[in-house]
């Protein structure tokens, strides 16, 4: 353990005495003496040394005019064996962890977090999984916060998922940070060809250490989906603010709609595939899903073009950003248009000339709705007709901007031919485009 | 008879939780306790982790939690996502921290350089998060009581828990109005060695707390006391409301521990823990019983009995006034959800006959020196209850169990076993708070209550001064007197005697701070007469003071003159007091009687 976060003075004092985190130390300052366990520092004043007192409280002591000495080295923490193990007779399911707290274990002494390695360890926090699935393995291709992921990571997950499914697992559950969970869900939806088993993405909005963590129900419900016949890529997370049911929503039609609520993931422009009650009851809400067929093999078709930009049109927005990206070699654009799909058209800052030039050069520009709900329409207003017919933008229909972005990355990963891209973007490939706008699929 | 407390080795420590008068500690919601029905209900389950506890029966705990629902009642206007554990906590409420540090200064404690908020694991569901946020802010304080220093090693700031509303086997309901209210926790060392001293220390700390901006009224301060004697055990007595009862409660707890030690000494001579075995028997002796309680219980249960070898005569021994060792066993049985037990030292009674007792003794193989306990309930519940009875009987052989107890009159009653040290780990969502010299220097030490009383006594009679200081309206009183030019005596008596009188008359007053501020603004502007206050308070509703006051708005002297003239002209023959009656009927509370009377006299004189 390093002393990251501590001042040079504290670092030197600790290193010179070979003190490490977890050691029992004594700090003398004036007439006062503090005794406690040395803690790592993650935030706050680097001049204060943090110790855990015998009563369990952490305190910070300003180290100026203070001295430190070691009383006792740290107790070696003994790894306890998991109390339970999986039931081999239950359906075989594999888990891919990509980082984040959902599959991590907290060291309650220091607050440090480490990833789980063995399947049985998951039972320490979520014993109910034992009643539902037999977790065969935990694969961790990488550990990253979801905001740090990119298309390379999607490809890795897709390949690993295909491998685990083709090995005989009934399903793969993927744990993932929530911020960009819906991007990965969309990427897998396009990249997993001939999928006939459920692929369940799940995250947690509250940290796993707490008794009220949403992890538990999310994982339990994900396990139920894993054993179901819904052979789709989807996100399974809380459906309400209560611990009553999760929603399993299609990977291309779902979005994080709240920064912190448990029920942040909402289906958009489509009903959720199913409601998964905590007791295991699966209530199919949307019959439009592929059925399980365990004899089929899935293929990972995971080529993504990374030079794609997702931009937003807004009052006063400057079209030069498009030129900038193009000069950097970008191969495609998704623009979140206002309303039915507008960009500034007749103003001084009109986007039309730039878009026109890009499409002429064979660079696809897809317009998706920044309203999220609803559908792009190229015909209603003159300005729309200018954008879609004169300037050659591609209407993204009822695709979520994020889904359109992932889809364009994937399409450009396969071809650079403008017309092919255009027809791919307008065709429904993984449930991302619906032909009917469902009346009650709004603000669910 | 007074005990020799020193010889007994009496040690008492006090723990005080005092709510602070500010918004909540980690969100901007106001600290308001609600009584109307909630408009939001949230249902949660708590994670049943397999490795959660070391000592308890893991499987049982898991099963119990698996099926339990925690219901949280919330109010959309005074709760937010933070209290529902749906949003990370906001940074610590600075005003609350300042108040807590003022308390620390008045208790001669030293603030820490940097405070770290911790998560303290809570398993009963009273916190939506599953933990309570708490931080140590100052150490090494003391109070002086009668020349003796009582040490206060730690002072914490923490969030209050949700309010338990109801509980059944399937669910527990908490209200989120109280969750998150900032409170300061003060723990003394077990330096107190006399029952009277307990009260004096609590009172002293209470007075110091009242000097600061703290919440007043029922439930805003909670006192727990830890009591032990030599050879006994530390027992935590929860929620001692009445300071005057503290000495009696401590005395009775000492009596209990002494008696339990005596019982243990005797029991050790004749029996041992190994003799207490869960050999339960379903008793057929009660098939045709006349006992109503048993008959009722037999409808869907059984009578289950257990022998307590060597316990004959001990269960009937009094440990506290009106409480016997049998009562202590019964308290444990109740954990299983039964309403009580019967034991051989109290039988025959309750409709149970001598024959039934004899048959029970035979069925349980009781020897002369053995006692028995029976319980009537569904089989599983009954055997769970008897297991708890056996556990308590084992403790009786060993002495005094480590327990958390509640107050019952001036006795104490078992609540739950003493929990192990709570698990604390860092609250990573809240940055540590650096208490710089510069910041600490800005914190003003408030006047102590003694100083305040002294000052107030110059402005009003001593009794009124003392009453208002002890009143829950004191903070409001202070801010009103500061804000408006009003007679402090009038404000003080409004909050004390006027409200008390109205309450005595059965008038329900549900007004908020703003209403009282409005009231005294009207008084200060001389818009209404002080005579109108009681009636106005009675007739108005929350938020409507200004509207209601229109009926009482003061008349100008000219307006009064006009009314008087009119009356006098109409009935020139009437005497002054009769005229006054008619005039006042017209004027109501819109003018002071004295003024009207003097105007009337003037006009009569011509």
């Amino acid at each position: 353990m390093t002393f990251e976060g501590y001042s040079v003075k504290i670092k030197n004092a600790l290193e010179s005495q070979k003190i490490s985190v977890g050691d029992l130390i004594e700090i003398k300052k004036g007439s006062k003496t503090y005794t406690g366990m040395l803690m790592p520092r993650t935030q706050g004043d680097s001049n204060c040394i943090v110790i855990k007192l015998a009563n369990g409280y952490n305190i910070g002591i300003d180290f100026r005019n203070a001295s430190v000495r070691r009383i006792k080295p740290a107790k070696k923490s003994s790894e306890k064996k998991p109390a339970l193990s999986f039931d081999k007779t239950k359906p075989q399911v594999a888990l891919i962890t990509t980082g984040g707290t959902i599959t991590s274990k907290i060291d309650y002494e220091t607050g440090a977090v480490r990833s789980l390695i063995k399947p049985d360890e998951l039972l320490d926090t979520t014993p109910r999984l034992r009643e539902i699935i037999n977790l065969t393995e935990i694969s961790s291709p990488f550990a990253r916060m979801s905001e740090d992921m990119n298309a390379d990571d999607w490809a890795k997950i897709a390949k690993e998922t295909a491998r685990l499914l083709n090995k005989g697992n009934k399903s793969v559950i993927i744990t993932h940070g929530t911020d960009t969970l819906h991007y990965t869900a969309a990427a897998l939806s396009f990249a997993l060809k001939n999928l006939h088993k459920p692929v369940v993405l799940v995250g947690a909005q509250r940290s796993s250490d707490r008794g009220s963590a949403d992890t538990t129900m999310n994982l339990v419900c994900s396990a139920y989906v894993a054993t179901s016949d819904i052979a789709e890529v989807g996100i399974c997370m809380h459906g309400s603010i209560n611990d009553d049911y999760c929603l399993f929503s299609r990977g291309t039609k779902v979005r994080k709609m709240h920064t912190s609520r448990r029920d942040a993931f909402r289906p958009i422009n489509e009903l959720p595939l199913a409601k998964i009650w905590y007791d295991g009851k699966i209530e199919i809400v949307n019959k439009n899903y592929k059925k399980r067929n365990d004899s089929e093999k899935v293929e990972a078709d995971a080529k993504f073009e990374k030079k794609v930009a997702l931009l937003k049109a807004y009052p006063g927005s400057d079209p030069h950003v498009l030129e900038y990206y193009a000069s950097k070699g970008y191969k495609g654009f998704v623009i979140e248009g206002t309303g039915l799909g507008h960009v500034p058209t007749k103003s001084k800052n009109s986007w039309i000339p730039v878009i026109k030039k890009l499409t002429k050069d064979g660079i696809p520009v897809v317009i998706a709705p920044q309203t999220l709900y609803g559908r792009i329409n190229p015909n209603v207003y003159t300005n729309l007709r200018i954008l879609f017919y004169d300037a050659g933008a591609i209407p993204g229909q009822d695709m979520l901007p994020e889904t359109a972005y992932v889809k364009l990355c994937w399409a450009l990963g396969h071809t650079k031919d403008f017309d092919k891209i255009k027809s791919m973007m307008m065709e429904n490939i993984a449930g991302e485009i619906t032909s009917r706008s469902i009346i009650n699929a709004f603000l669910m | 008879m007074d005990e020799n407390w020193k010889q007994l080795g009496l040690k008492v420590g006090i723990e005080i939780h005092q709510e602070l008068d500010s918004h909540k500690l980690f969100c901007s919601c106001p600290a308001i306790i609600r009584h109307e029905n909630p408009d939001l209900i949230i249902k949660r389950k708590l994670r049943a982790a397999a490795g959660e506890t070391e000592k308890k029966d893991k499987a049982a705990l898991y099963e119990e939690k698996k099926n339990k629902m925690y219901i949280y009642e919330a109010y959309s206007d005074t709760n937010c996502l933070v209290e529902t554990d749906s949003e990370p906590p906001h940074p610590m409420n600075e005003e609350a921290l300042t108040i807590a540090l003022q308390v620390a200064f008045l208790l001669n404690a030293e603030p820490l350089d940097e405070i770290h908020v911790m998560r303290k694991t809570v398993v009963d569901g009273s916190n939506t998060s599953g933990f309570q946020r708490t931080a140590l802010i100052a150490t090494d304080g003391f109070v002086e009581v009668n020349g003796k220093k009582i040490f206060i090693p730690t002072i914490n700031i923490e969030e209050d828990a949700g309010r338990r509303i109801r509980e059944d086997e399937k669910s527990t309901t908490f209200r989120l109005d109280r969750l998150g209210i900032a409170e300061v926790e003060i723990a003394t060392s077990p330096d107190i060695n006399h029952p009277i001293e307990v009260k004096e220390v609590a009172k002293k700390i209470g007075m110091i707390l009242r000097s600061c901006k703290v919440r007043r009224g029922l439930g805003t301060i909670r006192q727990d006391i830890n009591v032990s004697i030599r050879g006994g055990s530390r027992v935590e007595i929860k929620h001692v409301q009445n300071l005057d009862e503290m000495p009696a409660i401590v005395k009775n707890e000492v009596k209990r521990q002494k008696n339990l030690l005596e019982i243990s000494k005797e029991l050790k001579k004749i029996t041992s823990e190994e003799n207490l075995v869960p050999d339960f028997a379903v008793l057929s002796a009660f098939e045709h019983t006349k006992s109503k309680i048993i008959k009722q219980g037999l409808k869907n249960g059984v009578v289950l009995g257990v022998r307590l070898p060597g316990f004959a005569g001990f269960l009937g021994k009094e440990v506290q006034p009106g409480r016997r060792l049998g009562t202590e066993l019964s308290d444990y049985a109740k954990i299983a959800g039964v309403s009580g037990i019967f034991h051989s030292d109290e039988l025959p009674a309750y409709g149970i006959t001598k024959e039934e007792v004899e048959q029970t003794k035979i069925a349980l193989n009781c020897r002369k020196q053995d006692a028995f306990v029976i319980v009537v309930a569904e089989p599983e519940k009954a055997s769970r209850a008897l297991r708890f009875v056996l556990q308590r009987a084992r403790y009786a052989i060993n002495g005094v169990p480590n327990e958390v107890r509640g107050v019952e009159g001036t006795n104490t009653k078992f609540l739950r076993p003493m929990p192990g040290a709570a698990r604390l780990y860092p609250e990573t969502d809240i940055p540590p708070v650096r208490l710089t010299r510069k910041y600490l220097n800005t914190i003003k030490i408030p006047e102590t209550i003694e100083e305040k009383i002294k000052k107030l006594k110059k402005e009003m009679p001593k009794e009124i001064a003392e009453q208002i200081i002890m009143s829950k309206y004191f903070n409001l009183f202070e801010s009103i007197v500061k804000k408006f030019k009003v007679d402090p005596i009038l404000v003080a008596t409004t909050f004390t005697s006027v409200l008390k009188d109205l309450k005595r008359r059965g008038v329900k007053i549900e007004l908020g701070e703003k209403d009282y501020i409005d009231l005294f603004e009207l008084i200060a502007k001389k818009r209404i007469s002080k005579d109108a206050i009681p009636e106005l308070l009675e007739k108005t509703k929350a938020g409507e003071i200004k509207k209601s006051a229109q009926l009482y708005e003061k008349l100008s002297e000219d307006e009064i003159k006009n009314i008087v003239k009119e009356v006098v002209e109409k009935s020139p023959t009437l005497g002054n007091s009769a005229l006054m009656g008619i005039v006042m009927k017209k004027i109501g509370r819109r003018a002071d009687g004295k003024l009207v009377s003097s105007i009337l006299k003037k006009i009569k004189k011509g």
Side-chain angles (χ1 to χ4, degrees):
Chain A
M1 188 89 69
T2 59
F3 299 119
E4 207 177 314
Y6 278 121
S7 68
V8 175
K9 189 174 173 223
I10 294 178
K11 229 184 257 184
N12 289 344
L14 293 172
E15 273 166 7
S16 71
Q17 303 201 47
K18 299 200 165 61
I19 293 172
S20 40
V21 167
D23 289 359
L24 189 68
I25 57 172
E26 183 186 85
I27 296 160
K28 275 208 164 120
K29 197 183 167 187
S31 61
K32 294 206 95 167
T33 307
Y34 300 92
T35 307
M37 192 191 287
L38 178 65
M39 293 284 112
R41 175 179 274 294
T42 48
Q43 44 183 347
D45 186 346
S46 63
N47 293 310
C48 288
I49 188 162
V50 187
I51 58 169
K52 188 184 196 69
L53 301 175
N55 62 13
Y57 282 92
N58 287 12
I59 60 169
I61 302 154
D62 190 335
F63 197 62
R64 282 169 292 195
N65 312 318
S67 66
V68 61
R69 75 174 182 95
R70 179 160 70 181
I71 300 177
K72 243 186 355 198
K75 267 186 273 168
K76 280 263 170 355
S77 68
S78 53
E79 271 299 317
K80 260 188 296 163
K81 259 189 137 172
L84 300 167
S85 54
F86 277 100
D87 177 352
K88 301 280 179 272
T89 66
K90 299 284 180 202
Q92 292 193 1
V93 172
L95 188 135
I96 298 175
T97 157
T98 62
T101 58
I102 185 163
T103 43
S104 59
K105 216 175 158 177
I106 185 169
D107 175 348
Y108 284 99
E109 291 265 283
T110 62
V113 176
R114 74 163 181 85
S115 272
L116 297 184
I117 307 158
K118 296 187 197 100
D120 289 349
E121 285 180 317
L122 200 59
L123 291 175
D124 277 345
T125 52
T126 317
R128 248 183 87 188
L129 287 178
R130 195 178 179 276
E131 299 163 18
I132 311 163
I133 54 168
N134 172 24
L135 193 67
T136 55
E137 65 182 288
I138 295 180
S139 157
S140 36
F142 55 83
R144 244 192 273 306
M145 305 298 273
S146 79
E147 61 271 25
D148 288 330
M149 289 190 191
N150 64 28
D152 291 340
D153 300 315
W154 304 338
K156 266 187 212 150
I157 300 172
K159 284 174 191 156
E160 188 60 5
T161 305
R163 184 183 73 81
L164 291 165
L165 288 178
N166 290 338
K167 239 174 114 175
N169 288 297
K170 296 269 183 203
S171 170
V172 170
I173 297 173
I174 300 161
T175 67
H176 194 289
T178 54
D179 278 15
T180 68
L181 182 56
H182 49 299
Y183 289 82
T184 303
L188 295 181
S189 303
F190 294 112
L192 292 174
K193 266 193 171 162
N194 195 39
L195 178 72
H196 281 86
K197 288 172 179 171
V199 172
V200 194
L201 290 111
V202 58
Q205 286 282 78
R206 304 260 71 80
S207 62
S208 299
D209 57 272
R210 60 186 86 197
S212 62
D214 54 333
T215 323
T216 314
M217 187 174 95
N218 290 351
L219 274 175
V220 166
C221 291
S222 295
Y224 284 121
V225 176
T227 60
S228 77
D229 73 336
I230 311 174
E232 296 280 356
V233 175
I235 291 177
C236 181
M237 287 191 57
H238 267 63
S240 80
I241 199 165
N242 303 312
D243 288 336
D244 44 11
Y245 63 87
C246 280
L247 293 180
F248 185 57
S249 305
R250 193 188 308 279
T252 50
K253 282 283 188 211
V254 59
R255 192 173 189 278
K256 187 175 188 180
M257 296 298 282
H258 197 277
T259 56
S260 60
R261 281 174 66 126
R262 286 151 218 262
D263 50 352
F265 282 87
R266 311 312 300 177
I268 310 273
N269 291 331
E270 189 191 48
L271 297 177
L273 297 172
K275 259 185 178 179
I276 321 296
W277 293 85
Y278 205 1
D279 63 6
K281 194 176 83 189
I282 296 184
E283 188 184 323
I284 299 294
V285 182
N286 181 349
K287 287 190 187 129
N288 179 24
Y289 66 89
K290 209 188 322 177
K291 293 258 176 8
R292 174 193 287 278
N293 180 351
D294 286 347
S295 59
E296 293 280 347
K297 292 278 178 202
V298 62
E299 183 199 332
D301 176 15
K303 283 178 286 189
F304 294 96
E305 167 60 58
K306 277 193 280 182
K307 295 221 156 202
V308 175
L310 173 58
L311 304 170
K312 188 167 186 154
Y314 50 90
S317 51
D318 189 336
H320 283 103
V321 287
L322 295 169
E323 285 171 341
Y324 169 80
Y325 275 109
S327 76
K328 293 281 172 193
Y330 272 65
K331 305 283 190 293
F333 292 89
V334 174
I335 296 166
E336 292 185 13
T338 57
L340 289 166
H342 286 109
V343 296
T345 305
K346 288 174 180 158
S347 65
K348 210 171 75 190
N349 270 344
S350 173
W351 286 42
I352 299 297
V354 186
I355 291 175
K356 204 167 180 173
K357 183 171 183 306
L358 288 170
T359 57
K360 223 173 149 188
D361 293 346
I363 293 176
V365 177
V366 180
I367 309 293
Q370 66 176 246
T371 57
L372 308 178
Y373 287 97
R375 189 180 292 275
I376 298 296
N377 187 308
N379 304 311
V380 177
Y381 297 108
T382 317
N383 285 357
L384 291 168
R385 292 191 287 268
I386 293 171
L387 172 63
F388 292 106
Y389 295 108
D390 297 353
I394 303 166
Q397 305 185 68
D398 66 333
M399 262 191 289
L400 280 165
E402 295 82 4
T403 299
Y405 164 72
V406 171
K407 186 179 180 184
L408 188 56
C409 293
W410 181 77
L412 283 166
H414 291 75
T415 176
K416 297 287 189 281
D417 183 292
F418 184 86
D419 293 331
K420 277 189 189 154
I421 293 288
K422 186 169 179 177
S423 73
M424 279 169 95
M425 288 310 290
M426 299 199 44
E427 175 199 354
N428 174 38
I429 292 172
E432 75 280 15
I433 295 171
T434 66
S435 51
R436 291 174 57 239
S437 300
I438 305 285
I439 295 169
N440 51 349
F442 182 47
L443 297 180
M444 283 185 307
Chain B
M1 180 201 79
D2 215 4
E3 299 275 358
N4 186 338
W5 306 106
K6 204 172 172 188
Q7 208 178 336
L8 275 172
L10 174 66
K11 278 186 181 177
V12 184
I14 308 178
E15 200 178 295
I16 294 179
H17 291 91
Q18 166 74 61
E19 289 181 349
L20 307 177
D21 189 10
S22 183
H23 68 83
K24 289 188 174 179
L25 191 54
F26 295 112
C27 69
S28 304
C29 286
I32 297 176
I33 299 298
R34 307 288 295 261
H35 300 289
E36 63 274 43
N37 285 332
D39 60 344
L40 292 170
I41 302 285
I42 293 163
K43 293 181 179 176
R44 295 271 168 79
K45 296 217 163 187
L46 276 188
R47 142 176 276 171
E52 194 168 81
T53 50
E54 302 304 323
K55 284 180 193 152
K56 274 196 198 160
D57 181 359
K58 280 175 201 165
L61 189 77
Y62 166 54
E63 283 307 318
E64 194 179 295
K65 277 190 141 185
K66 181 174 148 186
N67 296 314
K68 191 121 191 180
M69 184 70 87
Y70 295 91
I71 300 172
Y72 299 105
E73 300 181 342
Y75 299 85
S76 48
D77 54 345
T78 54
N79 286 124
C80 70
L81 286 178
V82 172
E83 294 118 305
T84 71
D85 190 42
S86 302
E87 181 177 306
H90 301 184
M92 190 186 284
N93 172 349
E94 265 186 52
E95 186 193 33
L97 178 60
T98 303
I99 300 168
L101 286 167
Q102 285 175 331
V103 171
F105 284 131
L106 288 173
L107 292 172
N108 310 296
E110 265 184 68
L112 294 167
D113 293 332
E114 188 182 54
I115 63 181
H116 288 247
V117 181
M118 308 296 287
R119 296 175 174 175
K120 187 188 217 170
T121 312
V122 171
V123 291
D124 67 356
S126 59
N127 284 62
T128 46
S129 54
F131 51 73
Q132 177 196 29
R133 298 187 181 92
T134 169
L136 181 59
I137 59 163
T139 58
D140 300 325
F142 65 87
V143 275
E144 250 182 76
V145 178
N146 300 332
K148 178 176 163 185
K149 264 190 188 176
I150 304 292
F151 286 96
I152 298 172
T154 57
I155 296 171
N156 297 324
I157 190 165
E158 52 192 35
E159 55 181 8
D160 207 341
R163 211 148 56 86
R164 192 182 295 260
I165 302 293
R166 68 190 82 85
E167 179 156 20
D168 56 42
E169 273 169 47
K170 291 236 164 72
S171 70
T172 309
T173 302
F174 293 96
R175 200 164 277 190
L176 300 187
D177 51 0
R178 202 180 68 185
L179 179 69
I181 293 182
E183 58 179 21
V184 62
E185 186 204 64
I186 297 156
T188 77
S189 296
D191 295 342
I192 304 165
N193 313 109
H194 194 286
I196 305 285
E197 203 179 48
V198 181
K199 174 182 157 182
E200 285 167 345
V201 172
K203 210 168 170 182
K204 175 87 184 189
I205 297 175
M207 286 298 240
I208 288 173
L209 287 168
R210 280 203 182 85
S211 311
C212 301
K213 197 166 171 265
V214 298
R215 280 164 58 80
R216 303 279 191 103
L218 205 68
T220 55
I221 183 167
R222 294 195 298 279
Q223 283 118 172
D224 305 335
I225 46 187
N226 284 289
V227 181
S228 70
I229 57 170
R230 194 170 297 116
S233 284
R234 183 168 77 90
V235 163
E236 185 175 334
I237 305 167
K238 282 277 178 200
H239 299 185
V240 184
Q241 289 285 352
N242 188 343
L243 297 193
D244 292 329
E245 281 177 355
M246 275 186 178
I249 290 167
V250 172
K251 280 180 190 171
N252 277 342
E253 176 55 26
V254 169
K255 188 177 282 170
R256 192 183 73 92
Q257 296 202 13
K258 263 179 71 184
N259 287 333
L260 286 176
L261 289 175
E262 198 61 39
I263 289 171
S264 141
K265 212 166 112 192
E266 295 296 313
L267 278 174
K268 270 183 184 152
K269 287 182 197 159
I270 43 180
T271 188
S272 71
E273 277 192 60
E274 293 84 65
N275 294 334
L276 295 165
V277 285
D279 232 345
F280 306 147
V282 176
L283 301 167
S284 54
F286 296 93
E287 267 171 20
H288 306 290
T289 187
K290 296 243 159 54
S291 160
K292 275 186 197 149
I293 309 171
I294 293 189
K295 250 204 266 185
Q296 183 62 30
L298 277 175
K299 278 185 189 160
N300 45 19
V302 293
V303 180
L304 204 66
V306 68
R307 184 171 72 109
L308 302 180
F311 273 70
F314 286 98
L315 299 183
K317 283 206 169 166
E318 196 172 75
V319 292
Q320 273 183 330
R323 285 180 60 92
R324 289 151 218 292
L325 181 59
T327 326
E328 301 254 313
L329 266 57
S330 172
D331 284 347
Y332 271 60
K334 284 173 186 166
I335 311 173
V338 300
S339 55
I341 58 167
F342 299 103
H343 63 78
S344 46
D345 282 356
E346 58 179 354
L347 298 177
Y350 310 107
I352 295 170
T353 62
K354 204 172 168 216
E355 290 69 46
E356 286 164 340
V357 172
E358 288 311 316
Q359 283 179 43
T360 302
K361 280 187 178 165
I362 293 165
L364 292 170
N365 294 323
C366 286
R367 301 161 303 165
K368 205 172 158 243
Q369 66 270 39
D370 299 344
F372 69 78
V373 168
I374 58 173
V375 62
V376 53
E378 299 92 274
E380 210 170 294
K381 211 188 240 183
S383 83
R384 217 174 142 224
L386 287 186
R387 273 201 297 275
F388 283 121
V389 166
L390 280 179
Q391 193 182 25
R392 180 64 188 87
R394 283 185 205 112
Y395 293 151
I397 298 173
N398 282 328
V400 184
N402 235 210
E403 289 168 344
V404 177
R405 298 179 70 86
V407 176
E408 193 181 61
T410 52
N411 280 337
T412 63
K413 186 183 167 192
F414 172 78
L415 284 181
R416 53 184 175 269
M418 187 76 80
R423 189 152 66 185
L424 280 108
Y425 61 102
E427 166 55 275
T428 42
D429 294 344
I430 300 162
V433 183
R434 183 78 164 93
L435 302 180
T436 57
R437 263 300 122 210
K438 207 173 135 198
Y439 164 63
L440 291 172
N441 286 339
T442 64
I443 295 176
K444 289 201 189 85
I445 311 275
E447 279 177 308
T448 63
I449 279 284
E450 283 91 351
E451 287 164 347
K452 279 184 183 171
I453 292 180
K454 220 186 260 170
K455 242 181 168 174
L456 273 182
K457 272 190 209 155
K458 285 180 197 157
E459 296 176 0
M460 58 182 75
K462 187 176 160 235
E463 296 79 54
I464 300 177
E466 279 171 359
Q467 271 180 33
I468 188 66
I469 276 177
M470 301 306 281
S471 140
K472 66 173 175 178
Y473 295 103
F474 183 63
N475 292 345
L476 188 57
F477 163 83
E478 277 198 309
S479 63
I480 287 171
V481 172
K482 215 164 147 192
K483 199 164 172 189
F484 304 117
K485 247 186 114 180
V486 282
D487 178 8
I489 301 183
L490 176 67
V491 183
T493 50
T494 301
F495 284 129
T496 54
S497 44
V498 171
L499 287 181
K500 232 177 250 165
D501 282 346
L502 288 170
K503 203 175 161 192
R504 209 171 291 143
R505 281 174 33 214
V507 180
K508 236 185 166 178
I509 307 271
E510 283 170 338
L511 299 176
E513 293 197 353
K514 175 81 174 48
D515 297 306
Y516 292 109
I517 291 169
D518 285 350
L519 173 71
F520 286 105
E521 188 184 349
L522 291 169
I523 297 274
K525 288 184 177 161
K526 301 211 175 359
R527 296 267 296 282
I528 57 169
S529 139
K530 69 177 171 34
D531 296 349
I533 292 178
E535 204 177 303
L536 177 55
L537 289 176
E538 183 177 347
K539 299 266 164 77
T540 193
K541 273 193 248 147
E544 290 186 0
I545 284 270
K546 283 191 172 164
K547 201 175 130 200
S548 312
Q550 285 167 3
L551 289 173
Y552 306 94
E553 284 207 7
K554 267 196 175 172
L555 299 173
S556 68
E557 278 193 37
D558 284 344
E559 286 169 313
I560 299 171
K561 270 181 200 159
N562 287 339
I563 293 172
V564 173
K565 268 184 196 157
E566 202 183 302
V567 172
V568 173
E569 278 162 18
K570 251 190 198 166
S571 335
T573 54
L574 286 180
N576 271 8
S577 63
L579 283 170
M580 186 69 188
I582 299 169
V583 170
M584 284 315 285
K585 211 169 182 184
K586 288 196 167 207
I587 289 178
R589 302 280 188 193
R590 292 180 294 166
D592 283 333
K594 257 190 209 160
L595 180 64
V596 178
S597 158
S598 76
I599 290 174
L600 176 72
K601 277 175 195 156
K602 259 187 228 163
I603 285 175
K604 278 283 276 189
K605 270 184 194 162

